[in-house]
Amino acid sequence: MKNNLSKIALFLLLGAILYSCSLVKRVPEGQHLLIENTVMVDGKKEKSETILNQLYQKPNSSILGYRLRLQMYNLARKSPEADYQLWLEKKPKRHKFLTDLLSEKQVQRLGQSFFVSGASTFLKKTGEAPVIIDSTKVQKSRNRMLSYYFNAGYFNNKITYKIDTLPDKRGKVNYEVKLGAPYVVDSITTSIKTAALDSLFERTKNQSLIVKGKQYNSQYFSDERKRIATHFRNNGAYYFQETNIEYDVDTVATNHKAHVDILIDDRTVKKGDSLIKVPFKLYTISEVNIFTGNTNNKNKQKVADSTSYNNFNIYSSDKLKYRPKAITDAIFITKGSKFSDFRRQLTSRSLSNLRVFNYPNIEYEEDKNDTTGTSLIANIILSPRKKFNFNATADFMHSNIQDFGILGSAALSIRNIFRGAEILEIALRGNIGSSQDLANPNNVFFNISEYGADVKLSFPRIFFPLNTDKIIPKNTLPTTQMSIGLSRQQNIGLDKESFTGILNYNWNPKRNTNIRFDLVNLQYVRNVNPGNYFSVYHSSYDRLNGLAQVYNTDPTNLDEEGNLSIPQGTTGFINEVLGGQTSLTPNDNDYFAIRSIEERRLRLTENNLILATNVTYTKSSRTNINDNDFYTFKTKLESAGNILSLISKIENQEADIYGRKKFFNVEYSQYIKGEIDFIKNWDLGGKQVIAARAFTGLAIPYGNSNSIPFSRSYFGGGSNDNRAWQSYSLGPGRSGGLNDFNEANFKIALSAEYRFNIFNKLNGAFFADAGNIWNVFDNVTDEESVFEGFKSLQDIALGTGIGFRYDLNFFVIRLDVGFKTYNPAKEMKERWFRDIVPNRAVLNIGINYPF
């Protein structure tokens, strides 16, 4: 053992030496590779990314300390084409042979081929050249940090630096920062020439970002300039700009105190050949004109139809195709209101939200009829989008069910269908395929199919009998959607027919907050071929068939090969066991297993009727697609069956022998379900991000149900869950995923990723996923599947792995390889690290990030 440890230590030492030498392979003699920047601020090491970003030179990027891109660059040959020429001329006969075989031009082009120079070009382009310490850039870094700390209020800061040269052509740069005492805002005065602006400033003076006693920071002054300009422009100051605000900061002999004077001069206008100063005016909207139709300008000479509605003037170049209210409800620029940038932006968003116009153009002009010169005319120019839009798609597919399939869809959108900016969408979809797993007595190639239709009607407002403006104001951009869908499938499964109907409302109380309220969410699922259950769920069949080899007493339950026939044999054997016609008793484990198999069959083949109401609240701090430092919080509450339960009580419906009530001969589901989902991203800089997610969900059946419908239950595993397990293969609890599709009604999921850039658009990630599903408050009694309090947390599975992602800008292709690091399905002593081997890895392919 000691001998082996010595060999391992020697191998690691040699590897470290070779790695160390390879880093400086492209570093010229007399120069040094930058391996570290150290910034000491008043004796303490500074680790802030903001400070380190002030430096012009940073060490080569690394992934957990390994400088991959530098190593790639070093692998490239320095002058591959020159090396090729030397190789070519080293033996004249070689050159002549190649020329005779090809031609001189082709021989020369070989030097530019991928095998000669292309690989090196790729490595150089993809990799990173070594960062050589440059004293000029070090000086520039010092000057930038001087400016940074000066802007932070340390006007007397001093910065020195030292370049430490190390063996093996390496070096470090050490920056020593002496901040000195910061300057503090001591007094604030204002000098605003225009009285109207001075009055506006006084209204929000207490909201100022420049506060007496606060340390000076130039960013506060920049933000305060934006705040003042925004406040003025939202209250009528049409011509006011941020550049009209100046600061006079006195720090001379003030003992580290800053005296601030906010200066806002009058407006500068051109009169003749001279520039004169005039007071700013606060403008009021005197007229709102809306131009629509086949025009993109406000030329009233081309108007063919016009109308006035609620102080709005609407013009169209042809017959007006919109009800006035449908347009004006989306406009927040109103006659008699002050000019406001906020109203203009809200109007632009609201009109775009109608989805019947292209991006609107909003212009203002002074009203020449106003002798006071304080009125503006707002012209809103709307360019309609096409009324009809047709889209058709076709695709070929292959899956574990279909050997070959053709998928097609056709969708028609009709905008402004009722002249109120409504959108009607009609979609047809279909799929035909071939499967060898399905009995095919007529030898038809396309022997499986699925087809369906969806109709959706969208309203750019709350569609409700009562006025909801006080509860959900128009400025929250509310919408209403009504949709119905029908589908039918015939394949090797249970052959389902389904109907869905949804009435939902969406609105945004704040810019990054969304609320969705499903007043009606109806789903009806009918299993056409429930007798095919054991042909689909192979794991359940194999377990049942194995027990039948021991306990079956009726030979008519078996086929010619001695296995249970489907469905007669499986049904017969289960009935015999549960009817006490075999040697098994209810106290036997095998009896319990067969009863569980039958309960699951009944659950997955039963028809479902779900009438639910739910509300979803989503809040995010993300500002744009490039923001990698944000959080997203989402919670959902759903209740099902209460309306149907109330109707059944009113009608005095009688329950069946199992105590269940039905509508249309189908037991309706009754449950309450809650979910919480939280995602947080931390931007580490250098295209490095740490992302984490926490999710928990619980669905509790009651009243008419003792279990949750399959479509509303939870599962574990898959590309967006625990990636060390396939979808539906994790849990419940420590049961080991015995069924083909394992699900339950309680779920905990935790995930974390360290994301980094490898090169160009290829990114990587190390991840860890933890979680599981359990049964709780339902009819499942298996101790291995049921959540029993804190002690069940030891059944939380852990998967770890590595992922690769290629960014195509509009979406990301993702490949994740997961390993079962902690497997609760095994005995306690075998749970950790037993499955971290290549042949037990789980491969997941997905689109975009998992969370």
Side-chain angles (χ1 to χ4, degrees):
M1 181 65 181
K2 292 183 178 180
N3 188 36
N4 289 335
L5 289 175
S6 300
K7 291 180 179 179
I8 293 172
L10 179 61
F11 175 78
L12 293 175
L13 179 62
L14 290 173
I17 293 173
L18 290 173
Y19 169 67
S20 178
C21 294
S22 64
L23 288 178
V24 295
K25 180 179 179 181
R26 293 283 187 257
V27 178
E29 290 296 331
Q31 298 188 20
H32 300 85
L33 175 71
L34 177 63
I35 61 170
E36 185 181 1
N37 287 315
T38 302
V39 180
M40 302 296 294
V41 180
D42 290 339
K44 295 182 179 180
K45 188 174 182 179
E46 181 61 69
K47 297 180 180 180
S48 168
E49 189 73 21
T50 303
I51 302 300
L52 297 179
N53 281 338
Q54 306 301 316
L55 306 179
Y56 280 90
Q57 284 192 303
K58 295 182 180 180
N60 289 95
S61 62
S62 64
I63 301 173
L64 299 180
Y66 182 76
R67 305 188 192 278
L68 173 64
R69 297 185 67 179
L70 175 58
Q71 292 285 29
M72 293 177 66
Y73 184 91
N74 289 339
L75 285 173
R77 288 188 291 170
K78 194 172 184 180
S79 304
E81 292 189 38
D83 293 342
Y84 172 73
Q85 292 297 329
L86 289 175
W87 173 81
L88 199 62
E89 301 302 333
K90 188 174 182 180
K91 294 182 180 181
K93 290 183 179 181
R94 177 185 294 162
H95 192 166
K96 184 177 184 305
F97 171 76
L98 291 174
T99 303
D100 293 341
L101 181 64
L102 302 171
S103 69
E104 180 62 27
K105 184 178 181 180
Q106 290 176 319
V107 171
Q108 294 302 323
R109 289 186 64 181
L110 278 174
Q112 302 172 0
S113 67
F114 177 81
F115 297 102
V116 176
S117 62
S120 293
T121 301
F122 170 79
L123 289 170
K124 286 182 179 179
K125 184 178 179 180
T126 304
E128 282 181 351
V131 179
I132 308 298
I133 296 177
D134 185 333
S135 59
T136 302
K137 293 182 178 179
V138 173
Q139 179 64 32
K140 289 176 67 177
S141 297
R142 171 190 173 274
N143 294 340
R144 182 185 275 182
M145 281 198 293
L146 280 170
S147 177
Y148 173 84
Y149 284 112
F150 183 90
N151 289 328
Y154 298 98
F155 296 161
N156 301 320
N157 76 84
K158 296 180 180 179
I159 302 178
T160 59
Y161 65 85
K162 180 182 179 182
I163 300 175
D164 288 340
T165 57
L166 304 173
D168 299 326
K169 297 190 288 186
R170 299 158 186 258
K172 297 182 179 180
V173 181
N174 300 312
Y175 298 89
E176 189 72 30
V177 181
K178 300 294 183 182
L179 293 177
Y183 277 72
V184 176
V185 175
D186 183 59
S187 64
I188 306 169
T189 59
T190 58
S191 177
I192 303 176
K193 294 292 183 64
T194 301
L197 296 187
D198 187 46
S199 177
L200 285 176
F201 179 83
E202 289 297 324
R203 291 184 197 173
T204 60
K205 189 176 181 180
N206 61 337
Q207 299 176 16
S208 176
L209 302 176
I210 305 173
V211 181
K212 182 178 179 180
K214 197 173 184 178
Q215 182 174 327
Y216 176 94
N217 192 311
S218 62
Q219 187 61 47
Y220 299 152
F221 287 75
S222 177
D223 292 343
E224 175 66 2
R225 181 181 278 115
K226 292 179 181 178
R227 187 195 71 82
I228 294 172
T230 299
H231 177 56
F232 286 175
R233 287 185 60 83
N234 283 336
N235 287 275
Y238 175 62
Y239 287 107
F240 193 86
Q241 302 293 331
E242 287 184 29
T243 53
N244 295 122
I245 304 172
E246 295 181 355
Y247 297 108
D248 184 8
V249 183
D250 181 14
T251 59
V252 178
T254 60
N255 191 26
H256 297 94
K257 295 179 179 180
H259 303 291
V260 180
D261 192 9
I262 302 174
L263 308 173
I264 301 178
D265 205 351
D266 284 338
R267 178 187 171 202
T268 301
V269 298
K270 188 174 183 179
K271 187 174 184 181
D273 295 331
S274 304
L275 296 176
I276 62 172
K277 296 284 188 178
V278 297
F280 282 95
K281 296 178 181 179
L282 302 184
Y283 287 85
T284 300
I285 305 300
S286 62
E287 190 176 334
V288 181
N289 299 322
I290 305 167
F291 297 87
T292 184
N294 298 319
T295 180
N296 58 0
N297 59 58
K298 56 181 185 295
N299 189 349
K300 294 183 181 180
Q301 303 299 321
K302 297 182 179 181
V303 168
D305 193 7
S306 64
T307 187
S308 293
Y309 179 81
N310 280 356
N311 291 322
F312 293 95
N313 303 318
I314 306 175
Y315 303 96
S316 178
S317 60
D318 47 24
K319 184 174 177 57
L320 187 62
K321 299 177 181 179
Y322 307 88
R323 289 203 306 272
K325 189 177 188 303
I327 301 177
T328 58
D329 276 358
I331 295 176
F332 299 90
I333 303 169
T334 57
K335 183 177 180 178
S337 64
K338 290 291 186 182
F339 162 79
S340 169
D341 266 342
F342 172 75
R343 287 175 176 266
R344 177 183 58 81
Q345 294 166 2
L346 182 59
T347 297
S348 182
R349 285 179 56 209
S350 183
L351 287 169
S352 298
N353 197 54
L354 295 180
R355 296 192 297 151
V356 295
F357 300 109
N358 294 313
Y359 194 79
N361 183 19
I362 302 175
E363 301 174 353
Y364 295 90
E365 60 182 63
E366 290 193 42
D367 189 348
K368 297 178 181 179
N369 296 323
D370 181 11
T371 56
T372 65
T374 58
S375 295
L376 290 176
I377 297 174
N379 295 309
I380 302 172
I381 304 167
L382 303 176
S383 176
R385 300 171 69 177
K386 291 182 179 180
K387 184 177 181 65
F388 298 96
N389 182 53
F390 180 77
N391 184 38
T393 62
D395 200 2
F396 300 98
M397 62 181 298
H398 170 77
S399 68
N400 59 347
I401 294 178
Q402 297 187 52
D403 302 309
F404 174 76
I406 301 176
L407 177 67
S409 66
L412 174 66
S413 297
I414 308 175
R415 296 186 175 91
N416 195 41
I417 187 168
F418 302 125
R419 299 182 63 243
E422 305 89 354
I423 300 177
L424 177 65
E425 299 172 77
I426 304 172
L428 301 174
R429 63 186 188 278
N431 171 35
I432 56 174
S434 174
S435 175
Q436 296 180 358
D437 294 333
L438 183 65
N440 193 0
N442 297 323
N443 198 27
V444 179
F445 181 75
F446 290 113
N447 58 342
I448 61 177
S449 64
E450 181 176 356
Y451 50 88
D454 300 285
V455 178
K456 181 168 68 175
L457 181 61
S458 302
F459 299 84
R461 54 192 172 275
I462 297 296
F463 189 84
F464 197 73
L466 303 177
N467 190 334
T468 60
D469 287 349
K470 291 184 178 180
I471 303 173
I472 307 174
K474 291 189 295 183
N475 60 10
T476 62
L477 308 183
T479 61
T480 303
Q481 286 189 350
M482 302 176 182
S483 63
I484 58 173
L486 295 165
S487 67
R488 192 182 195 282
Q489 64 176 213
Q490 179 182 352
N491 53 34
I492 64 172
L494 303 178
D495 296 346
K496 296 179 182 296
E497 292 179 342
S498 65
F499 171 82
T500 58
I502 299 175
L503 170 61
N504 72 62
Y505 304 100
N506 274 276
W507 67 96
N508 301 289
K510 296 181 180 179
R511 186 64 184 268
N512 296 317
T513 304
N514 174 262
I515 296 176
R516 169 173 170 150
F517 175 52
D518 283 15
L519 180 61
V520 176
N521 191 314
L522 173 65
Q523 182 182 40
Y524 169 69
V525 178
R526 174 174 174 263
N527 294 295
V528 180
N529 188 15
N532 206 30
Y533 175 83
F534 286 108
S535 296
V536 178
Y537 296 90
H538 301 290
S539 295
S540 296
Y541 175 78
D542 291 341
R543 292 169 62 197
L544 185 67
N545 190 50
L547 293 171
Q549 306 306 313
V550 180
Y551 301 107
N552 179 50
T553 58
D554 188 349
T556 61
N557 291 332
L558 305 178
D559 58 19
E560 296 178 355
E561 298 179 356
N563 298 314
L564 286 175
S565 61
I566 301 174
Q568 290 81 6
T570 52
T571 302
F573 175 60
I574 291 173
N575 290 339
E576 289 167 10
V577 171
L578 301 184
Q581 300 175 31
T582 66
S583 60
L584 287 171
T585 67
N587 295 324
D588 295 327
N589 290 333
D590 288 341
Y591 180 96
F592 178 78
I594 294 171
R595 189 182 68 182
S596 296
I597 292 172
E598 174 62 4
E599 288 176 350
R600 181 170 177 79
R601 185 193 70 82
L602 292 173
R603 170 166 159 68
L604 296 184
T605 59
E606 67 182 358
N607 300 328
N608 293 133
L609 176 61
I610 306 170
L611 181 59
T613 297
N614 64 66
V615 60
T616 304
Y617 174 86
T618 305
K619 181 177 178 60
S620 177
S621 66
R622 193 169 196 179
T623 55
N624 56 66
I625 194 172
N626 296 316
D627 183 4
N628 287 317
D629 200 318
F630 67 93
Y631 73 85
T632 299
F633 173 78
K634 181 178 180 180
T635 184
K636 180 178 180 180
L637 182 64
E638 178 172 287
S639 176
N642 294 329
I643 295 176
L644 296 178
S645 177
L646 178 62
I647 294 173
S648 67
K649 288 180 180 179
I650 294 174
E651 295 182 349
N652 292 320
Q653 285 188 4
E654 293 186 4
D656 61 16
I657 59 174
Y658 300 104
R660 307 284 186 265
K661 296 180 180 180
K662 299 181 179 181
F663 279 89
F664 307 110
N665 203 32
V666 179
E667 295 177 8
Y668 62 87
S669 298
Q670 194 169 9
Y671 62 86
I672 187 169
K673 181 179 182 182
E675 296 177 350
I676 295 177
D677 194 0
F678 182 75
I679 297 172
K680 180 71 176 81
N681 279 27
W682 292 270
D683 192 343
L684 305 181
K687 296 183 178 180
Q688 299 179 92
V689 175
I690 290 180
R693 181 196 185 202
F695 173 89
T696 184
L698 172 64
I700 303 174
Y702 67 95
N704 208 54
S705 299
N706 58 14
S707 64
I708 301 300
F710 184 84
S711 60
R712 296 295 204 269
S713 61
Y714 297 107
F715 68 91
S719 62
N720 294 321
D721 195 71
N722 197 320
R723 286 159 281 185
W725 278 261
Q726 298 286 358
S727 296
Y728 290 96
S729 66
L730 175 60
R734 59 184 181 276
S735 63
L738 300 176
N739 301 306
D740 297 274
F741 295 91
N742 299 279
E743 43 78 39
N745 64 325
F746 177 46
K747 180 174 182 176
I748 296 175
L750 305 168
S751 293
E753 283 194 348
Y754 166 60
R755 300 168 182 169
F756 53 88
N757 178 253
I758 300 176
F759 56 80
N760 294 341
K761 295 185 177 183
L762 181 63
N763 300 304
F766 295 108
F767 63 82
D769 300 321
N772 208 331
I773 57 173
W774 294 268
N775 290 94
V776 60
F777 304 128
D778 63 3
N779 60 349
V780 176
T781 57
D782 180 11
E783 292 182 358
E784 294 186 340
S785 302
V786 173
F787 188 82
E788 298 177 327
F790 285 106
K791 69 177 182 179
S792 292
L793 296 180
Q794 67 182 352
D795 296 335
I796 289 180
L798 174 64
T800 57
I802 185 171
F804 300 93
R805 293 87 191 270
Y806 193 81
D807 192 347
L808 293 173
N809 295 329
F810 46 93
F811 68 89
V812 174
I813 298 176
R814 175 165 52 92
L815 174 67
D816 290 323
V817 182
F819 297 91
K820 296 179 179 64
T821 306
Y822 177 82
N823 188 349
K826 295 190 174 184
E827 294 295 330
M828 189 65 70
K829 62 181 180 180
E830 297 182 352
R831 292 184 175 185
W832 283 101
F833 307 116
R834 294 300 178 96
D835 294 316
I836 303 184
V837 290
N839 64 341
R840 296 183 184 177
V842 176
L843 181 67
N844 286 286
I845 298 175
I847 300 296
N848 293 329
Y849 291 98
F851 53 87

